[in-house]
Amino acid sequence: DGKKVAEAVKKDLKKRISKLGFKPGLAVVLVGDNPASELYVKLKEKTSKELGFHFELHRLDKDTDELALLNLIDKLNQDKKIHGMLVQLPLPKQIDEKLIIDAIRPDKDADGLSPMNMGNLLSGNNKVIPATPKGVIKLIESTGIKIEGKRAVVVGRSNIVGKPVSVLLQQKNATVTMCHSKTEPLEEHTKQADILVVAAGKPRLITADMVKKGAVVIDVGINKVMGKSIGDVDFDDVKKVAGYITPVPGGVGPMTIAMLLENVLQCIWLQGKLKT
């Protein structure tokens, strides 16, 4: 239950924030009017305000050019009220995502996706860990199962989820296999997994016959099918064999927001404004 685990994280955050002596500041930049992005941003705003954050939403038109967005990022980089920020992805086609993420100060990068933070993660010198992968690890750990020595399979190799999750699992001493759209046959790998993380963006890709009995299954996928949100895992089928499984919605989603806000406190620490 991602909501339950996230609530425990938020409770701890609230306690830490009350001792700060100032409001942690989070800025979110939203370009265009993507309905999914609108929803994610609303949830981030709601949770931020509940926990006592100073929250700023900066909306830009879908026709905004790179220069206007870079100027806004530069302004937020220098704003002392803002301790962490993110640019909501995906961005419109005329904007280079890599260029934009690279422009965010690494010690204000609440999403943990800047090249410096990703490079630190790869070298084992973790500074700001990408929010969704951090939430995935927290969910696995909440089962009480030891990650060390387990066989983990990650389906999907995106920079946002697949790659960082595989690195974090390796840091926890799991033996990791990465699968993707060109992996054949996929079930040969997934059936070996004690821990299966699926972030492929394909509805109900994973079925019960592809899962090892008793496995921990984390479904990061969120797909709209006939107006309903469903994951990359066929939940009703796979729950019959899995030891633990996350639902969609209510699994990884709430954890991503909780981890994002935890990352803002990590940014404050990196900026030297937090002693513990």
Side-chain angles (χ1 to χ4, degrees):
D1 185 344
K3 287 180 187 170
K4 196 175 167 185
V5 182
E7 279 308 317
V9 174
K10 290 193 287 189
K11 203 173 167 184
D12 178 58
L13 279 175
K14 210 164 188 177
K15 215 180 285 178
R16 288 165 64 190
I17 289 162
S18 69
K19 293 174 186 170
L20 274 180
F22 60 89
K23 277 190 168 197
L26 172 64
V28 174
V29 180
L30 180 60
V31 186
D33 49 10
N34 178 307
S37 294
E38 289 272 0
L39 176 65
Y40 296 145
V41 168
K42 264 183 195 157
L43 289 169
K44 284 164 186 170
E45 181 170 10
K46 181 176 176 281
T47 313
S48 298
K49 288 179 174 172
E50 276 171 12
L51 294 182
F53 277 72
H54 164 70
F55 181 89
E56 289 183 10
L57 173 58
H58 295 265
R59 287 178 174 274
L60 295 174
D61 190 79
K62 66 176 186 294
D63 301 321
T64 298
D65 61 23
E66 274 176 359
L67 188 59
L69 182 50
L70 287 167
N71 283 337
L72 174 58
I73 290 168
D74 185 47
K75 194 177 136 200
L76 294 170
N77 277 338
Q78 295 174 64
D79 189 336
K80 291 194 169 121
K81 293 193 306 297
I82 299 303
H83 305 103
M85 68 164 123
L86 68 98
V87 177
Q88 186 67 44
L89 303 177
L91 287 167
K93 283 177 186 154
Q94 75 274 16
I95 296 173
D96 180 346
E97 280 186 7
K98 287 190 176 79
L99 178 75
I100 297 308
I101 291 166
D102 200 9
I104 297 170
R105 251 174 64 176
D107 64 352
K108 282 196 174 188
D109 170 30
D111 254 346
L113 297 175
S114 70
M116 190 174 281
N117 283 322
M118 291 290 259
N120 279 325
L121 177 70
L122 194 60
S123 65
N125 181 30
N126 299 359
K127 296 290 184 193
V128 185
I129 299 169
T132 299
K134 193 178 178 183
V136 166
I137 299 296
K138 199 102 173 170
L139 282 170
I140 297 166
E141 289 176 335
S142 77
T143 66
I145 283 169
K146 199 174 158 199
I147 296 173
E148 186 171 330
K150 295 290 189 294
R151 179 167 285 201
V153 173
V154 179
V155 183
R157 54 180 167 180
S158 71
N159 290 337
I160 295 172
V161 182
K163 287 176 189 171
V165 160
S166 69
V167 173
L168 289 168
L169 285 164
Q170 286 173 68
Q171 287 180 6
K172 300 275 181 189
N173 297 317
T175 301
V176 183
T177 301
M178 280 199 79
C179 300
H180 43 77
S181 59
K182 303 289 185 284
T183 303
E184 287 181 8
L186 181 61
E187 61 274 15
E188 244 178 52
H189 300 280
T190 58
K191 280 190 93 159
Q192 305 283 318
D194 303 305
I195 297 164
L196 178 61
V197 180
V198 191
K202 287 191 175 175
R204 299 195 181 104
L205 171 69
I206 304 295
T207 49
D209 57 340
M210 299 169 76
V211 177
K212 183 179 180 179
K213 193 166 174 54
V216 177
V217 181
I218 308 288
D219 188 353
V220 189
I222 186 151
N223 311 279
K224 282 281 182 203
V225 176
M226 294 169 72
K228 277 181 75 177
S229 292
I230 64 165
D232 291 352
V233 175
D234 188 337
F235 183 85
D236 292 328
D237 193 29
V238 173
K239 73 177 181 184
K240 296 167 193 164
V241 291
Y244 297 88
I245 184 168
T246 58
V248 175
V252 174
M255 289 304 295
T256 297
I257 294 172
M259 295 295 107
L260 171 77
L261 298 177
E262 190 174 84
N263 278 352
V264 177
L265 292 200
Q266 176 66 8
C267 289
I268 292 171
W269 182 79
L270 289 169
Q271 291 158 32
K273 294 170 185 168
L274 189 63
K275 297 292 174 260
T276 55

